């Protein structure tokens, strides 16, 4: 069968598409990496060639995000859900409370897990503005002063909500950036901990990045499993446990690819262009709708609904035939969702809009 | 540069070599899997094509190990070290003690982690027999009757020790089989929990198998991070958290490859042949030594020492030139170590022995 790869655009919310050039390089050297005659996944994580991979990946990420030297960069296992436990178990210290800003599904999942270890003080920030879903301004978020930290999720992948402000507090700010990391510029120095599952903007599923300010490394609970302990991971260069070496290597290739694109500032511009193409078309159409207030629309995950939900299946079928993959919305909200992470080129978004126009013309 | 892959034999203890045919298939379909036009690592774990991968991997493992229907097969993250925490947190229930049989480094690492959650009752089973390292017969192991379970590690990768008996007890037996799973036949019904990091006999680093008897699913501690909870993983088909999909897919390919080799009985025969070639040569030589009693020699990890340790570096250098990779022993014991997991063909072991002979002739 003829390969159709070059015509395919993958809108999966995660595990998501990776840059084609990265996969091509991985494919070329899958059986003979670095002239060793073996795959990179077949060598010891403690061997010199792999340590070079690991160190370069960390340095490239530091360069991309301009991470200050008083932050540790950890390559963890278990994904963001593991961090839902790891954050309270690493950061509570002698405190018993933490503030959680709630604007959607993933913030709520973090809260549910935190309840095992502390009393989460929850501030519900999702509101209705002119019939649209929005998030309160950060100035209105109520933060409990006795909290060990303030947790929020700047991008709610399922709802398509993005928060462009930080909690206004001197407490450590903890952010689940699984869907936004590397998609736009951030000031790492304003955070206590940033964590992100890789499978959206970094690499394959099975690795998770944690960026931890070094004054927060001495607060771990006695019941924290050691492989989730930030201090141990920092001291052992994320090799306390055998790390997921192939996922680490692929993440490193993605970081190098992103540098070649011009870094985070350059990709942010492209991401804003991509989002504008899609949102502008949806807003101009009477057939497609997005119910998120424009202040809080996600650059990465664009949910939209058809005016005739009975056409959802037809839309997905025809889109798939066109090579426009994985557009079905999350079961919690229905409709469609286009995830347009860094690896999605502008051409993919344009192809989607072209298809949406045709579909609207034929079926509206 | 000319590819040298076909001349290379990789004796890495883990991450270890994978079957060449598996890597070739993964390479061929890395950019266009299942005619989807995307990589298998770029699709949702909840998509039908991936669920088929996941289900087939589980069924193939069930077939290979003849796993009874009252056992759950879980694909976990975090490696065996995560299980060092997960085991006590999942199994203690209201009990406060667990018996640990100690015959080496990995058993001791499990004990150290268990001390966070219970009082491990440790039975030291490593003994000296005729100047060789051996393990007491299981009939002499002291098992505390109030234990929630009895933990042992049937293969100590670093020391090169294998235990061919089971604890004699009605308590649930928990085994860290990271280095032996699928290398020889076992009777799963005799165990409560079997766990194994993938990076030796299953797949790439970053995934860990747990096989759990279903009467042990209701004992979880309140402080167990949910992503390590056996019951939740069982109920969610190991997809509570986004699983490491590419590692799962590769593990499934390894299971299919092993079935093609004739299954575990057939590979056990090959493994015994491989081990015999190596140990017989070492025993016949005055230049190479293995200090493990023959009752407890590992089929998978063969450490050996040179009579002249000052030649270690030369040995490693010349072996590497010959394409015999990763023979350096663990820093805890020094010398050499040949790990000869399922993916190592007999030819690789023969090539190693041929080289050892030549080296002995030239330098002894």
């Amino acid at each position: 069968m003829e390969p159709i790869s070059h015509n395919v655009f993958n809108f999966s919310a995660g595990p998501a598409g990776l840059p084609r050039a990265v996969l091509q390089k991985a494919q070329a050297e899958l059986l003979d990496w670095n002239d060793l005659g073996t795959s990179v996944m077949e060598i010891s994580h403690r061997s010199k060639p792999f340590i070079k991979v690991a160190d370069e990946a960390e340095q490239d990420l530091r360069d991309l995000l301009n991470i200050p030297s008083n932050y540790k960069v950890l390559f963890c296992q278990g994904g963001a859900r593991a961090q839902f436990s790891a954050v309270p178990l690493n950061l509570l210290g002698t405190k018993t409370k933490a503030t959680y800003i709630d604007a959607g599904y993933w913030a709520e999942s973090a809260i549910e897990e935190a309840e095992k270890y502390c009393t989460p003080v929850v501030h519900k920030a999702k509101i209705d503005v002119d019939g649209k879903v929005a998030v309160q301004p950060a100035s209105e978020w109520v933060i409990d002063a006795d909290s060990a930290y303030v947790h929020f999720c700047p991008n709610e992948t399922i709802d398509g909500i993005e928060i462009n402000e930080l909690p206004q507090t001197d407490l450590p700010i903890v952010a689940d950036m699984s869907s936004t990391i590397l998609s736009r510029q951030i000031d790492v120095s304003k955070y206590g901990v940033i964590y992100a599952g890789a499978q959206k903007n970094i690499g394959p599923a099975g690795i998770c990045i944690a960026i931890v300010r070094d004054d927060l490394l001495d607060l771990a609970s006695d019941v924290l499993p050691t492989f989730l302990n930030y201090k141990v991971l920092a001291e052992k260069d994320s090799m306390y446990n055998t790390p997921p070496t192939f996922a680490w290597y692929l993440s490193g290739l993605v970081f190098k690819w992103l540098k070649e694109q011009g870094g985070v500032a350059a990709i942010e511009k492209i991401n804003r262009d991509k989002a504008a193409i899609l949102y502008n078309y949806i807003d101009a159409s009477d057939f497609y709708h997005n119910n998120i207030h424009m202040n809080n629309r996600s650059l990465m995950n664009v949910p939209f609904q058809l005016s005739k939900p009975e056409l959802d299946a037809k839309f997905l079928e025809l889109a798939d035939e066109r090579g426009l993959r994985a557009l079905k919305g999350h079961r919690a909200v229905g409709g469609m969702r286009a995830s347009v992470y860094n690896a999605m080129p502008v051409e993919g978004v344009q192809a989607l809009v072209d298809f949406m126009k045709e579909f609207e013309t034929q079926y509206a």
Side-chain angles (χ1 to χ4, degrees), chain A:
Chain A
M1 184 176 230
E2 202 183 341
I4 51 167
S5 317
H6 53 293
N7 292 324
V8 166
F9 295 109
N10 176 13
F11 295 92
S12 177
L18 291 165
R20 199 104 193 120
V22 164
L23 287 174
Q24 282 164 342
K25 182 169 168 60
Q27 182 180 45
E29 60 195 26
L30 196 73
L31 276 85
D32 184 10
W33 175 77
N34 212 20
D35 293 326
L36 286 178
T38 64
S39 179
V40 63
M41 70 181 93
E42 297 178 297
I43 65 170
S44 170
H45 52 296
R46 301 197 191 283
S47 65
K48 276 183 196 163
F50 189 79
I51 288 172
K52 185 160 179 284
V53 168
D55 288 348
E56 281 186 20
E58 177 180 337
Q59 188 57 52
D60 286 336
L61 183 62
R62 285 186 175 276
D63 295 346
L64 284 164
L65 288 175
N66 197 20
I67 299 174
S69 60
N70 62 323
Y71 284 74
K72 302 293 184 185
V73 175
L74 310 177
F75 291 80
C76 311
Q77 292 188 59
R81 278 204 187 265
Q83 296 302 314
F84 293 172
S85 316
V87 163
L89 284 168
N90 273 287
L91 300 186
L92 280 167
T94 56
K95 295 197 176 178
T96 59
K97 295 197 285 184
T99 295
Y100 279 75
I101 309 302
D102 173 8
Y105 180 90
W106 290 107
E108 284 156 22
S109 299
I111 292 163
E112 194 181 338
E113 189 72 7
E115 283 170 353
K116 290 187 174 182
Y117 310 109
C118 67
T119 304
V121 181
V122 179
H123 179 82
K124 288 190 176 293
K126 194 151 80 168
I127 52 171
D128 182 292
V129 174
D130 307 330
K132 295 271 189 183
V133 175
V135 178
Q136 284 179 328
S139 58
E140 297 177 19
W141 300 350
V142 179
I143 292 166
D144 180 275
D146 295 327
S147 290
Y149 56 86
V150 181
H151 179 281
F152 82 128
C153 179
N155 186 96
E156 285 288 350
T157 318
I158 292 174
D159 313 86
I161 291 172
E162 193 155 331
I163 302 173
N164 300 299
E165 295 182 287
L166 281 151
Q168 296 177 0
T169 179
D170 292 329
L171 297 171
I173 294 171
V174 179
D176 173 1
M177 288 209 173
S178 296
S179 291
T180 45
I181 195 163
L182 297 170
S183 72
R184 56 184 170 87
Q185 293 180 283
I186 56 169
D187 181 352
V188 172
S189 74
K190 295 205 182 318
Y191 297 81
V193 175
I194 292 169
Y195 63 88
Q199 65 269 19
K200 295 155 194 297
N201 260 332
I202 294 174
I207 195 164
C208 179
I209 306 286
I211 303 167
V212 183
R213 208 174 63 209
D214 62 9
D215 63 298
L216 300 173
L217 294 174
D218 283 310
L219 299 164
S221 156
D222 290 342
V223 296
L224 170 66
T226 309
F227 82 106
L228 298 174
N229 184 310
Y230 293 153
K231 187 176 189 179
V232 172
L233 286 170
E235 285 172 352
K236 303 276 188 184
D237 296 324
S238 302
M239 293 193 189
Y240 167 74
N241 206 349
T242 306
T245 51
F246 189 68
W248 195 333
Y249 149 83
L250 274 177
S251 302
L253 293 186
V254 171
F255 299 153
K256 289 194 189 300
W257 171 85
L258 188 48
K259 280 183 147 181
E260 285 162 16
Q261 309 308 305
V264 176
I267 208 83
E268 176 173 352
K269 187 178 175 312
I270 295 170
N271 286 332
R272 292 194 183 279
D273 290 347
K274 281 153 50 183
I277 291 169
L278 200 42
Y279 285 119
N280 288 344
Y281 172 66
I282 291 169
D283 288 344
S285 154
D286 288 329
F287 184 68
Y288 301 104
H289 304 281
N290 168 283
N291 72 336
I292 308 299
H293 193 280
M294 60 186 303
N295 289 351
N296 294 108
R297 282 175 162 178
S298 166
L299 289 181
M300 294 287 102
N301 310 98
V302 183
F304 58 92
Q305 287 77 40
L306 277 53
S307 291
K308 300 176 181 170
E310 64 274 21
L311 290 175
D312 282 5
K314 191 76 189 166
F315 181 94
L316 289 167
E317 179 197 333
L318 295 179
D320 199 67
E321 282 177 16
R322 191 72 72 87
L324 305 169
R325 299 269 194 270
L327 283 162
K328 190 173 181 179
H330 191 277
R331 59 191 183 282
V333 295
M336 309 298 151
R337 175 175 51 176
S339 292
V340 290
Y341 301 115
N342 288 350
M344 173 62 65
V346 176
E347 296 71 36
V349 175
Q350 194 57 59
L352 172 59
V353 167
D354 291 346
F355 167 75
M356 289 168 73
K357 280 181 193 169
E358 283 178 47
F359 188 87
E360 181 176 0
T361 304
Q362 192 165 355
Y363 293 95

